[in-house]
């Protein structure tokens, strides 16, 4: 077997988590990341028949049976990922009945995947039904989007439009808009199901007074999705108290969508 610590997918995983910590998006053990892997990626580094232990999950996800995931650990700090991947993340497989997770590697010595594993799995399931190329779910406490939930109406349409109106890039990067949930306790079955429902419409979902969820086909794409929304949330906050003399109009946004061949989610433009 090759050394797991040299696996490209693990190196990329740890690199982006360290970057997020340095950006101030992941204080203490805040945030989590999950990446769906193919068995062919894992096989050179791991005997997939050897299950270290099995962990129950609260909702059945049998539609993900046999799928492999690289997932951050509960209580683990992003700043430690580069130095100790095996103690701060792990590789899981969903059991055939969809009621448990098989630990194949990591979470040493006695750790477990993030307490928000369930919303991750539910979001993966929701996105896979829409996009077979989907692979990544990221949750982080980026400060701009978090702060915006205290001063902006918690309505997905108006939240989306406030970001779109600031820069031509926004509608290009997230033409499906931003979903905004009502406040819920994170990690619960209710929050998992509600987040997955929002993910059917938008790859970005905001948890008010908590953080943001993003989904995509690669780590870079998913990080870039959240990064774009976060930058413009900070821009919104920097000018929200000033008189607005101009912004991108709906006609401007339609022109951008037409030029780039974007499919804009229905109902977001007037």
């Amino acid at each position: 077997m090759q050394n797991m610590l040299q696996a490209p997918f693990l190196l990329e995983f740890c690199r982006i988590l360290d970057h997020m910590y340095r950006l101030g998006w992941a204080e203490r053990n805040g945030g989590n990341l999950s990446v769906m892997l193919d068995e062919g990626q894992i096989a050179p580094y791991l005997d997939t028949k050897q299950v270290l232990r099995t962990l129950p999950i609260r909702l059945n996800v049998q539609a993900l049976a046999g799928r492999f995931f690289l997932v951050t650990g509960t209580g683990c700090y992003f700043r430690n990922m580069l130095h100790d991947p095996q103690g701060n993340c792990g590789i899981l497989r969903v059991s055939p009945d969809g009621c448990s997770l098989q630990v194949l590697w990591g979470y040493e010595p006695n750790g477990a995947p993030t307490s928000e594993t369930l919303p991750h799995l539910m979001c993966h399931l929701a996105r896979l039904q829409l996009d077979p190329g989907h692979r990544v779910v990221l949750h982080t406490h980026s400060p701009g989007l978090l702060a915006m939930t205290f001063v902006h109406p918690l309505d997905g349409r108006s939240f989306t439009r406030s970001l779109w109106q600031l820069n031509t890039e926004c509608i290009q990067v997230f033409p499906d808009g931003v979903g905004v949930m009502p406040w819920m306790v994170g990690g619960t079955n209710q929050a998992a199901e509600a987040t997955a429902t929002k993910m059917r419409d938008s790859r970005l979902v905001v948890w008010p007074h908590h953080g943001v969820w993003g989904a995509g086909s690669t780590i870079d794409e998913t990080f870039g999705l959240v990064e774009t929304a976060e930058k413009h949330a900070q821009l919104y906050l920097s000018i929200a108290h000033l008189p607005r003399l101009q912004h991108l109009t709906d006609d401007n946004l339609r022109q951008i969508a037409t030029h780039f061949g974007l499919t804009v989610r229905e109902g977001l433009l007037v």
Side-chain angles (χ1 to χ4, degrees), residues 124-268:
H124 279 292
L125 184 54
R127 292 307 308 173
L128 279 169
Q129 292 170 351
L130 299 168
D131 176 13
H134 163 83
R135 290 293 181 272
V136 180
V137 172
L138 182 158
H139 170 53
T140 188
H141 301 169
S142 58
L145 288 165
L146 177 56
M148 197 169 160
T149 68
F150 290 92
V151 299
H152 193 284
L154 297 177
D155 167 74
R157 182 176 183 274
S158 63
F159 207 96
T160 296
R161 290 170 60 81
S162 290
L163 297 175
W164 279 1
Q165 289 171 353
L166 295 173
N167 189 326
T168 59
E169 182 185 49
C170 287
I171 195 172
Q172 295 176 57
V173 175
F174 46 98
D176 48 352
V178 181
V180 179
M181 284 177 42
W183 185 87
M184 296 181 184
V185 176
T188 62
N189 290 13
Q190 181 188 23
E193 291 174 324
T195 309
T197 297
K198 290 288 185 184
M199 277 278 179
R200 294 190 183 104
D201 293 323
S202 307
R203 291 166 299 133
L204 278 169
V205 176
V206 170
W207 278 8
H209 325 322
H210 184 147
V212 62
W213 292 74
S217 58
T218 68
I219 288 177
D220 272 349
E221 178 197 5
T222 309
F223 174 81
L225 175 69
V226 175
E227 180 183 37
T228 303
E230 169 61 17
K231 173 182 176 177
H232 293 93
Q234 293 189 27
L235 177 58
Y236 172 87
L237 294 167
S238 72
I239 62 172
H241 63 294
L242 300 172
R244 185 74 64 88
L245 300 182
Q246 54 270 321
H247 60 259
L248 288 167
T249 66
D250 280 32
D251 185 57
N252 297 151
L253 293 168
R254 285 194 192 90
Q255 290 179 54
I256 297 165
T258 299
H259 179 75
F260 288 99
L262 305 174
T263 301
V264 178
R265 181 155 61 91
E266 187 175 353
L268 294 178

Side-chain angles (χ1 to χ4, degrees), residues 21 25-32 72-79 88 114-116 139 141:
Y21 167 71
W25 292 11
E27 74 292 342
R28 200 171 182 270
N29 62 323
N32 26 75
T72 49
T74 186
C76 294
Y77 296 15
F78 283 14
R79 67 173 178 262
N88 290 282
T114 171
S115 61
E116 291 172 339
H139 170 53
H141 301 169

Side-chain angles (χ1 to χ4, degrees), residues 45-65:
Y45 306 95
L46 187 66
D47 180 0
T48 59
K49 295 178 182 178
Q50 185 175 352
V51 177
L52 302 180
R53 50 202 166 98
T54 300
L55 305 170
I57 47 179
R58 298 187 307 274
L59 287 175
N60 188 291
V61 289
Q62 192 169 19
L64 294 173

